[in-house]
Amino acid sequence: MRYLEQLPRFAFFTGKGGVGKTSLACATALRLADAGLRVLLVSTDPASNVGQVFDLQIGNQITPVPQVPGLWALEIDPQAAAQAYRDRIAGPVRGVLPSEVVKSIEEQLSGACTTEIAAFDEFTGLLTDAALEQRFDHVLFDTAPTGHTIRLLQLPGAWDSFLEAGKGDASCLGPLAGLEKQRSQYKAAVQALADPARSRLILVARAQASSQREVARTHDELVHVGLSRQHLVINGLMPASEAPLDALAAAVLRREQAALAAMPAVLRELPRDEIALMPFDLVGLAALRQLLDAGDAGASSTSPPPLPDAAPALAGEAAPSLAQLVDGLAAPGHGLIMVMGKGGVGKTSLAAALALELARRGLPVHLSTSDPAAHLSDTLAGELGVDPGLFSVSRIDPQRETQRYREQVLATKGKGLDAQGRAMLEEDLRSPCTEEIAVFQAFSRIIREAGRKFVVMDTAPTGHTLLLLDATGAYHREIARQMEGTGLHYTTPMMQLQDSSRTKVLIVTLAENTPVQEAAGLQQDLRRAGIEPWAWIINNSVAATGARSALLRARAAKEQPFIEAVARQHAVRYALVPLLAEEPVGADKLQALLGRRPD
């Protein structure tokens, strides 16, 4: 594997959700530890599943992996980090300052901004901790899906610049109180990220046009941050040996080869490794070791490892289709539909397919996304075949929304200020915390439209979405506190999400162990927030295709217990969507996701 050659101390695995970052990071950590090196594997994903891969409870502390001498793991838990951060800032002033002041500080520390700062604080600490440098030869970062990772890797510079010029009473004064004390740590983190002798970025992608476009964008954005030493890994390639055995395998192989041939030029210039699609879940030490063995042999020149015995694939015709779910969704004539789940499960394609089908039925639809890395325009390529007056598309762009919010505040709160006061307000609005407020306001503005039309929201991967819901809950609590005792009627975005007659949440998963476990965890989080999911969608199911290739049959057999778990344990209603021979891009191919043939 070329990316392992002269591997620096820090390595970051990043890419679009679902491309195999966690599996590759875990397999790399295992290989380095097997070679006698001392390795720390860190997950910065708010929805980490490193523990599931090793069948080990890890959490927010450095934990040895018992079966692998020389390997330790850490999952940065944003909520635990935020609580520790709050205690560190607010704890010393309790009983010292007046209770109103302490309460004000605690309120400032209650939002998602504090969660982001606390996770960032731990991340930069790992890059600069001299004791860890003595203890470990390598620190590997299994990062969150692309948009969240870009944000994380940009933060050291963003916060350092803000603190360098910072003055004025920031809206997130409480969180910033702790940051000011660690400016030197952030400068050191920036230097570590920018040094190719110390840091390497491993871009993980699939042989898909959308995955490669996103990786190319990631490459450009992170070069500006200073991570210039980059390698590319194309994961999950269909072995050529499967193509003569099955029409679906042959179609997938053709699709992948075409995508590789059309790879963006900036990626073709990078050192590249290719890894074959495995017939089994990448959970457990034996499976992880086989992953890199296949990569060493070369994905295009080798057959996959020996297949396990495969039971007959589940008959896809017996499971509900996505079209059947649309019948229930369309009945009220309007409402909010939120499509949620782990990165890489196909939320964007499914949200687009649902929105187009509703518009084809003559219903007004606004399709939007809150995913920083989503690109609906790529999915909706070509002629859509719906009335343009019924169908609109938008994206919550954090940078644009932040700029809009700054201009709004300056035009209102800054209107009567003198030059010094306005300068202080502008400085306050340069805080990265401002983005949290701006994105929440955009989200609230869009979902209000659901009273007169359908709003289909393609959400960010699970962890990022939960942070947005955390901001929604914090806003609800503040409004409820202000309105208490007034007798006035009010409705907050959280109240809209909790109202099942107005909001339907669809949880998307794959028929695999980790995505189903994470989807079940998301459902529990939603229920704790008073939000009851309406349905589950199992996407990209091989079991629903009737494939005959030995590799695909093996994968279909592995899917069956997870399909049954969704149908019998987790979901009130569900739909099974087959793996398509062609990538679902454009109106006709999106319509194929519904379980109907295009007209």
Side-chain angles (χ1 to χ4, degrees), residues 208-229:
Q208 299 169 346
S210 60
S211 177
Q212 291 173 176
R213 281 194 299 268
E214 182 163 330
V215 162
R217 284 187 286 264
T218 303
H219 167 273
D220 292 341
E221 291 194 57
L222 293 183
V223 162
H224 290 302
V225 177
L227 276 165
S228 57
R229 188 77 175 271

Side-chain angles (χ1 to χ4, degrees), residues 180-343:
E180 178 67 33
K181 299 174 183 176
Q182 297 178 230
R183 291 174 58 183
S184 60
Q185 176 174 302
Y186 303 149
K187 287 181 180 293
V190 171
Q191 293 170 357
L193 289 171
D195 185 354
R198 299 175 66 193
S199 298
R200 177 175 298 173
L201 188 75
I202 294 96
L203 301 167
V204 187
R206 298 279 187 174
Q208 299 169 346
S210 60
S211 177
Q212 291 173 176
R213 281 194 299 268
E214 182 163 330
V215 162
R217 284 187 286 264
T218 303
H219 167 273
D220 292 341
E221 291 194 57
L222 293 183
V223 162
H224 290 302
V225 177
L227 276 165
S228 57
R229 188 77 175 271
Q230 300 185 12
H231 285 240
L232 177 65
V233 176
I234 304 294
N235 192 25
L237 285 167
M238 178 66 68
S241 58
E242 296 296 307
L245 309 174
D246 185 88
L248 178 61
V252 171
L253 180 65
R254 286 194 301 271
R255 183 174 81 189
E256 291 178 345
Q257 294 304 312
L260 291 176
M263 180 181 291
V266 71
L267 298 183
R268 286 200 297 271
E269 297 170 359
L270 298 177
R272 186 167 99 200
D273 295 297
E274 296 182 355
I275 300 176
L277 179 68
M278 298 288 104
F280 44 76
D281 284 343
L282 290 165
V283 176
L285 302 184
L288 291 171
R289 288 188 172 105
Q290 288 189 65
L291 177 65
L292 291 192
D293 289 343
D296 287 334
S300 60
S301 61
T302 184
S303 297
L307 299 173
D309 292 335
L314 183 76
E317 295 80 8
S321 70
L322 189 60
Q324 291 170 270
L325 282 189
V326 178
D327 294 338
L329 291 170
H334 63 85
L336 174 63
I337 300 170
M338 295 193 69
V339 184
M340 298 185 180
K342 176 181 169 67

Side-chain angles (χ1 to χ4, degrees), residues 430-452:
R430 278 195 284 272
S431 159
C433 282
T434 301
E435 184 179 305
E436 173 205 341
I437 303 169
V439 169
F440 167 71
Q441 285 198 350
F443 171 72
S444 302
R445 187 169 59 246
I446 289 171
I447 68 174
R448 280 198 296 269
E449 298 179 21
R452 61 183 186 276

Side-chain angles (χ1 to χ4, degrees), residues 20 40 90 107 114-115 182 193 207 258 266 335 339 410 433 509 518 522 543-544:
L40 175 62
E107 285 178 356
T114 298
T115 305
Q182 297 178 230
L193 289 171
V266 71
V339 184
L410 288 171
C433 282
T509 186
E518 183 165 319
L522 170 61

